[in-house]
Amino acid sequence: KTLEAFAQRKRVKDHPEPWHPYTPFQMSTRDSNDWTRMRKGGWWLRRGIRFDAMRYWYQYSDFARFPGITYFKNLPELICKAQTMDVHAVVAAMRRHNEVTFVESAAFWATSLVGLVGKPA
């Protein structure tokens, strides 16, 4: 299915199909916390559909949402962009974004904890 089909699913209340093409749990197997397996290198690339799930869920991660992220199609394009990039401006924008979102995250989790426990801290 296309991502547009899943986007349309979000707009239809009580639709029988899931909102997302992958669950977050498809990124890991039961033995994903087996550190001896991870040490062999490239363990997460050998997981077939899990790589597609990781690629899908990445768009919702904090890493993909930072301002100033520069995208490139290949190594030569990266090198060209790196020569003209204002690294200090990118770092400053990312730092400001991180400071703001950290405050928002802390407030969210504090409110959630109060909701779970039932008492303000």
Side-chain angles (χ1 to χ4, degrees):
K1 296 193 176 195
T2 65
L3 291 180
E4 177 55 34
F6 287 103
Q8 184 178 0
R9 166 23 197 131
K10 289 182 183 181
R11 295 186 289 269
V12 178
K13 187 178 179 182
D14 298 327
H15 195 281
E17 295 196 17
W19 282 25
H20 299 284
Y22 307 98
T23 71
F25 306 106
Q26 281 178 291
M27 294 188 292
S28 303
T29 60
R30 277 184 240 154
D31 63 343
S32 64
N33 290 325
D34 178 2
W35 295 101
T36 58
R37 183 169 183 234
M38 286 187 211
R39 277 190 240 126
K40 294 177 184 171
W43 60 274
W44 57 278
L45 288 175
R46 295 193 302 264
R47 293 178 171 207
I49 195 169
R50 289 178 188 87
F51 184 70
D52 292 334
M54 285 182 209
R55 202 169 47 201
Y56 174 79
W57 283 105
Y58 173 78
Q59 67 185 320
Y60 298 105
S61 73
D62 290 340
F63 302 111
R65 299 175 58 191
F66 270 89
I69 293 177
T70 303
Y71 296 93
F72 53 91
K73 295 177 185 172
N74 51 42
L75 188 58
E77 186 178 353
L78 169 64
I79 293 169
C80 289
K81 286 185 176 189
Q83 291 173 345
T84 59
M85 181 187 302
D86 184 354
V87 176
H88 296 292
V90 170
V91 169
M94 288 184 174
R95 182 176 289 122
R96 280 191 303 275
H97 177 76
N98 195 41
E99 289 168 355
V100 169
T101 56
F102 178 78
V103 170
E104 291 171 357
S105 295
F108 168 81
W109 288 112
T111 303
S112 298
L113 185 60
V114 168
L116 286 172
V117 175
K119 298 180 194 175

